Amino acid sequence: MTNAELAFVFPGQGSQKIGMLSEIAQEAPEIQATFADASDVLGYDLWDLCQNGEQDAINLTQRTQPLLLTSSVALYRLWRSRGGSQPVYMAGHSLGEWSALVCSGALAFKDAVHLVRERGRLMQEAVPAGEGAMAAIIGLDDKEVEVACAASAQGEVVAAVNYNSPGQIVIAGSRTAVERAIEACKAAGAKKAMPLPVSAPFHTELMRPAAEKLTPQIEVTNFNAPEIPIVHNVHAELEADPEAIKSLMIEQIYRPVRWTACVQKVIGSGVSQMVECGPGKVLGGLVKRIDRSVACHAIDSSGNFNEALRTTAV
């Protein structure tokens, strides 16, 4: 059954942690089965890595991206196998948009695992370690952050890259330019302006070489029209044409994530409930900052999974 008021949102990098999904996997064989499918593609045991490995190991971008994709797809498979309502919209934050593509039927899971591993590797290689940076800016509006970045560039790259919620924006670019922008944001009245523990400046022009190298692999992969509409990061709109979706997924690598606009688009279509399909509750928190009237559900443990099943049933 489809719930006309329900959307699914899929998290991106930053939601990973050692031991994730361990409790729910004990009673849901679908979880480890999905991880086994991914491990076949990757050539290593992804489940063992995220349960028994080191945090530094799963924080490597080329491992983080397949890990979060697999976690989200595993939870969605479990959701549907347990009779969970089908959503009317999907959206994913950065890497999470790949999870949405798989869960909407637009892309085969194993193809997505391969592509996001390459995406992570190429994004990390695009800028040498230590030369890029990202920072979170709290308490300024979008325009104030954009002005601070423009004034701080001085011939280098620094820009707003994640419009996460009103008053919460992530900037990225060359390390020295980001440092200047942090000080400019503080001077403009930011409540917080703090570097993030990420070495690569995601979603900036510095990522364009990664996008160009990934393009041939995306172009030869079969994409389908999504069975469930996806609101895309690049322009916060829907797209049904598979070739246009490929272009958006290439562009997404070096364009900002317009998450606030994506959520507003979904809410404006009549959605009042959202399920965060992946580990953690990061997106639920952002959604609440965008619109407190929306009910947000996490499903990464047995308790909250079953509660979400009950609450969203039609």
Side-chain angles (χ1 to χ4, degrees):
M1 293 288 288
T2 298
N3 182 340
E5 297 181 353
L6 178 64
F8 264 57
V9 292
F10 300 87
Q13 291 188 215
S15 293
Q16 70 277 5
K17 64 178 182 179
I18 295 297
M20 53 195 271
L21 306 188
S22 59
E23 182 263 347
I24 193 169
Q26 292 176 13
E27 62 172 58
E30 296 94 335
I31 301 292
Q32 290 194 43
T34 303
F35 272 79
D37 290 344
S39 297
D40 288 343
V41 177
L42 297 168
Y44 60 85
D45 190 331
L46 185 62
W47 181 255
D48 181 68
L49 175 68
C50 76
Q51 298 303 307
N52 304 309
E54 299 293 331
Q55 188 68 35
D56 287 348
I58 67 170
N59 285 347
L60 292 171
T61 302
Q62 63 265 38
R63 291 179 177 167
T64 308
Q65 296 200 20
L67 175 58
L68 288 171
L69 169 79
T70 303
S71 300
S72 289
V73 172
L75 287 169
Y76 191 73
R77 286 178 172 178
L78 179 62
W79 178 266
R80 296 299 285 149
S81 73
R82 297 280 175 89
S85 297
Q86 180 169 298
V88 288
Y89 288 101
M90 291 181 168
H93 190 289
S94 188
L95 178 275
E97 195 164 293
W98 287 93
S99 305
L101 288 174
V102 174
C103 296
S104 72
L107 182 62
F109 174 54
K110 288 192 174 184
D111 287 342
V113 173
H114 169 74
L115 287 172
V116 302
R117 174 180 60 184
E118 290 301 292
R119 180 181 185 267
R121 180 181 67 81
L122 292 169
M123 290 171 79
Q124 191 62 63
E125 290 177 356
V127 178
E131 293 187 12
M134 301 183 79
I137 310 299
I138 310 296
L140 293 181
D141 65 30
D142 295 357
K143 188 64 176 178
E144 288 173 314
V145 174
E146 291 163 359
V147 168
C149 287
S152 303
Q154 298 178 20
E156 295 184 302
V157 172
V158 60
V161 296
N162 292 350
Y163 293 83
N164 284 335
S165 66
Q168 183 174 331
I169 296 178
V170 173
I171 64 172
S174 305
R175 181 179 55 81
T176 50
V178 170
E179 289 170 352
R180 290 192 295 269
I182 287 173
E183 295 309 311
C185 288
K186 288 179 179 177
K191 294 178 182 176
K192 289 184 180 179
M194 51 194 178
L196 296 174
V198 178
S199 60
F202 300 132
H203 299 291
T204 68
E205 280 293 324
L206 297 172
M207 290 290 111
R208 193 182 282 267
E212 292 171 350
K213 291 177 181 177
L214 190 62
T215 295
Q217 297 183 57
I218 290 179
E219 287 182 341
V220 299
T221 303
N222 182 56
F223 280 55
N224 303 304
E227 296 167 8
I228 300 167
I230 298 169
V231 181
H232 291 277
N233 288 177
V234 170
H235 54 21
E237 297 291 342
L238 308 178
E239 182 53 69
D241 178 62
E243 293 305 310
I245 291 172
K246 288 182 181 182
S247 296
L248 285 170
M249 298 313 292
I250 293 164
E251 195 175 344
Q252 188 227 46
I253 294 173
Y254 59 89
R255 294 290 188 218
V257 174
R258 300 193 175 278
W259 186 247
T260 299
C262 288
V263 172
Q264 290 170 336
K265 172 75 172 180
V266 171
I267 295 170
S269 301
V271 163
S272 60
Q273 300 183 86
M274 292 192 191
V275 169
E276 181 164 358
C277 192
K281 302 177 181 178
V282 172
L283 296 185
L286 295 180
V287 170
K288 281 294 188 183
R289 289 176 61 92
I290 296 166
D291 189 329
R292 297 200 63 83
S293 70
V294 177
C296 300
H297 310 280
I299 57 170
D300 59 349
S301 71
S302 296
N304 58 28
F305 187 97
N306 292 327
E307 176 63 22
L309 276 179
R310 289 192 298 270
T311 305
T312 60
V314 291

